[in-house]
Amino acid sequence: MTWKIVSDSGCDYRELEDIALETSFESVPLTIQVGEEVFIDNVALDIDTMMDKMYATSTASKSACPSPDDYLQAFAGADNIFVVTITGTLSGSHNSAQVAKKLYLEENPNVNIHVIDSLSAGGEVDLIVKKINWLIGQGLTFDEVVQAITTYQKKTKLLFVLAKVDNLVKNGRLNKLIGTVVGLLNIRMVGEAGPQGTLELLQKARGYKKSLSAAFEEIIKAGYAGGEIIISHRNNDKFCQQFSDLVREKFPNAQIQAIPTSGLCSFYAEEGGLLMGYEVG
């Protein structure tokens, strides 16, 4: 039996380390339009250039989800397929994956496909993808992996810390006055992905140090007890290191990984921002 893990670029991985036997990983890119230019969020994307151009334009940049055909191409060649998408509240990617599943099964009725709406982005998607790979490596059946990953998803959460919100303001998702205050007063927006996959504000932390303590306070409040953390970040190694130190003071054995954001996650997190996935319970 062959396996395939498919994710859109709401996942930051471009490849998986220690991939399970008979398993492959496919990243299906979203596209990001900045002015008249369209960037494909794949391994060849120069994210720095995309971000520079995004900040240089006064118009709203926007993302576009993969088509069902993009997913159909990614499905080919496996008996068991797991698909993980960015939250359906931010993108039509999940819907495209579901359409592709229906079409693919009409032609390939013996294939197993399970599509997961992560209700999240960035680090939490990364955790789910990584866990699926681990479960496959344990020799479980397809149905057992479905059951295990469904249970696991209930124990993962997303915390975000945003240092810039230009893109959110341009897209009308944040009041322009609040955006100005964030820039002028060194405010960081600290929030989470809610149960329905919407991004919800928890705190406005003034200054870098307060954002560190606010982030730590929020994950403890949510039930973090030393589980795995993946921090996807846009050029913020300092926060990742100091936050990791803060966590390990209380939980010395915590497994923490910091990885660069994908193009799409850079688009949402913006410069200095991060999308942190963590386990609770």
Side-chain angles (χ1 to χ4, degrees):
M1 298 290 282
T2 55
W3 300 74
K4 187 169 278 191
I5 303 169
V6 177
S7 73
D8 61 26
S9 52
C11 173
D12 301 286
Y13 290 128
R14 293 296 182 252
E15 60 181 11
L16 291 180
E17 295 181 359
D18 301 319
I19 196 157
L21 290 175
E22 301 296 323
T23 304
S24 59
F25 174 70
E26 293 272 351
S27 177
V28 180
L30 280 85
T31 58
I32 299 155
Q33 183 172 348
V34 180
E36 298 300 316
E37 192 167 358
V38 175
F39 296 89
I40 300 172
D41 190 13
N42 57 24
V43 68
L45 175 63
D46 185 334
I47 299 175
D48 292 340
T49 296
M50 183 193 79
M51 296 297 287
D52 287 344
K53 291 186 176 183
M54 188 177 82
Y55 286 126
T57 180
S58 59
T59 58
S61 301
K62 54 189 178 182
S63 63
C65 68
S67 69
D69 187 60
D70 293 327
Y71 278 108
L72 286 171
Q73 292 180 44
F75 292 170
D79 302 304
N80 298 314
I81 303 167
F82 282 84
V83 188
V84 187
T85 73
I86 190 172
T87 175
T89 64
L90 289 179
S91 170
S93 183
H94 181 73
N95 185 61
S96 285
Q98 290 284 21
V99 171
K101 172 184 174 179
K102 181 179 178 181
L103 293 172
Y104 197 78
L105 290 177
E106 288 175 358
E107 299 293 329
N108 304 273
N110 295 322
V111 171
N112 297 309
I113 305 176
H114 182 60
V115 180
I116 300 169
D117 184 342
S118 71
L119 302 174
S120 192
E124 188 174 2
V125 182
D126 304 336
L127 278 176
I128 294 168
V129 166
K130 186 176 179 182
K131 188 69 170 183
I132 292 170
N133 180 56
W134 184 84
L135 291 167
I136 293 170
Q138 301 308 297
L140 303 183
T141 66
F142 178 83
D143 289 339
E144 287 171 338
V145 177
V146 170
Q147 183 176 1
I149 199 61
T150 300
T151 300
Y152 179 74
Q153 190 178 358
K154 296 173 183 176
K155 299 179 180 179
T156 62
K157 291 183 70 66
L158 179 84
L159 185 88
F160 62 83
V161 181
L162 306 182
K164 290 176 72 68
V165 292
D166 301 42
N167 209 26
L168 293 173
V169 172
K170 287 178 185 177
N171 280 281
R173 294 184 177 178
L174 192 66
N175 182 281
K176 188 174 182 179
L177 179 60
I178 294 177
T180 302
V181 169
V182 168
L184 292 178
L185 299 183
N186 198 20
I187 301 292
R188 264 78 168 173
M189 312 288 276
V190 181
E192 66 176 0
Q196 306 305 316
T198 55
L199 301 183
E200 301 172 1
L201 182 63
L202 296 171
Q203 292 192 40
K204 297 174 188 173
R206 186 169 186 178
Y208 172 80
K209 290 184 178 179
K210 288 187 177 179
S211 71
L212 269 173
S213 58
F216 184 67
E217 173 188 321
E218 291 297 343
I219 69 168
I220 296 298
K221 191 188 301 182
Y224 177 75
E228 185 170 2
I229 297 174
I230 297 180
I231 310 172
S232 68
H233 68 100
R234 172 63 189 165
N235 289 334
N236 204 339
D237 291 310
K238 178 182 176 183
F239 185 102
C240 295
Q241 184 59 58
Q242 295 189 358
F243 184 81
S244 298
D245 292 343
L246 193 60
V247 170
R248 290 191 178 110
E249 284 179 14
K250 187 173 179 65
F251 306 102
N253 297 319
Q255 183 179 347
I256 306 170
Q257 180 184 17
I259 60 177
T261 42
S262 65
L264 183 72
C265 291
S266 298
F267 171 81
Y268 283 117
E270 298 198 46
E271 207 63 36
L274 54 98
L275 300 166
M276 180 193 311
Y278 63 100
E279 298 173 347
V280 296

